[in-house]
Amino acid sequence: MDAPGFRGSMKFHKLKALGLGIGLFVVVYVPAFTTVALVRPRIEIAIPLIIAITLLVALLLIFLLARSPAGIAEFGFHIPHSRYVVSATLFGLTIGLAVTFLSHSLPSKAPFDVSGFAPWMIVLYFLIGASIQEEIVFRGLIQSMVERRWKVSFSLIGGSLSGAVAFSAALFGVIHLESGAIVALGAIILGLIAGELRRRSGSLLPAIIVHALFNAADAFWPQR
């Protein structure tokens, strides 16, 4: 195969992989938001409903796409080495506090008004529920499927960054744009760190930990 033909083939595989990632995102989230739009529940019901529906759809897709019963390990269902748990804790606290400080210092808004939520709701919905659900969707399902179809890495500051990690982080940032550039940038940074921890450890647990700590910093930051 000549060089132009090879490059064309690689470009096609890249576009196909990224299209698959976007398609999976749509399939996971459309049922949840359609349900909420039809039922119109109160916000304290809508949030856990979205979390539950998207998580259920994502898990169903993972089991359908796994090449064998043991194949779910490809999607991050694996126990990591303890060093990745430690790294996730350090990154989650450091980056979470830094981004939260910026988001509270500069113009930004939360996706939902949770001022009337009880503390247990914030912990259950955002620190536990959203962290598990979004990591399974973005770093478990989408990142894994893009990585399966498009195995490429980019050089970055003496290291490497997986194309699948970069894509899932960018997609995660895009859905947070409504809350402002700072929040979206924070989501991308979170996505890159969580994605790399997921890729290197082979497990979703470090990604969930860093995500939960990131959310905790924002949820319990002193209000002005």
Side-chain angles (χ1 to χ4, degrees):
M1 181 181 292
D2 59 10
F6 177 74
R7 287 195 295 269
S9 176
M10 291 297 292
K11 184 177 181 180
F12 173 75
H13 284 297
K14 172 185 175 181
L15 293 175
K16 190 175 179 180
L18 300 186
L20 173 62
I22 294 172
L24 288 171
F25 171 80
V26 172
V27 170
V28 167
Y29 276 94
V30 163
F33 283 103
T34 300
T35 301
V36 169
L38 293 173
V39 178
R40 296 184 179 180
R42 299 191 308 273
I43 187 67
E44 60 268 26
I45 301 299
I47 292 174
L49 186 61
I50 291 171
I51 290 172
I53 294 174
T54 52
L55 181 59
L56 181 62
V57 174
L59 288 174
L60 178 61
L61 287 172
I62 286 171
F63 280 107
L64 289 174
L65 293 168
R67 289 167 173 156
S68 67
I72 61 170
E74 177 190 358
F75 296 89
F77 293 90
H78 168 76
I79 298 175
H81 191 282
S82 59
R83 69 175 180 271
Y84 293 109
V85 174
V86 174
S87 297
T89 303
L90 294 175
F91 277 123
L93 288 172
T94 304
I95 303 301
L97 289 172
V99 172
T100 299
F101 173 77
L102 287 175
S103 67
H104 281 253
S105 302
L106 300 171
S108 62
K109 63 177 181 177
F112 307 101
D113 180 11
V114 297
S115 57
F117 281 32
W120 70 265
M121 288 183 177
I122 294 175
V123 171
L124 182 61
Y125 295 171
F126 299 102
L127 274 64
I128 299 175
S131 299
I132 294 173
Q133 171 253 337
E134 289 184 331
E135 290 310 313
I136 287 177
V137 171
F138 284 90
R139 260 60 71 175
L141 175 62
I142 295 175
Q143 180 176 312
S144 298
M145 288 304 298
V146 173
E147 184 78 37
R148 182 189 283 185
R149 299 292 185 91
W150 185 44
K151 296 182 181 296
V152 66
S153 296
F154 307 101
S155 297
L156 181 68
I157 316 175
S160 64
L161 176 66
S162 162
V165 170
F167 171 75
S168 63
L171 184 60
F172 192 60
V174 167
I175 68 169
H176 288 84
L177 275 173
E178 186 183 355
S179 298
I182 296 298
V183 173
L185 178 60
I188 292 173
I189 294 172
L190 169 61
L192 290 173
I193 294 172
E196 272 301 297
L197 285 169
R198 152 75 181 92
R199 184 178 72 87
R200 297 186 185 203
S201 68
S203 172
L204 282 167
L205 182 58
I208 292 171
I209 290 172
V210 76
H211 197 143
L213 291 172
F214 193 95
N215 285 357
D218 182 64
F220 296 108
W221 188 267
Q223 299 297 314
R224 291 193 292 268

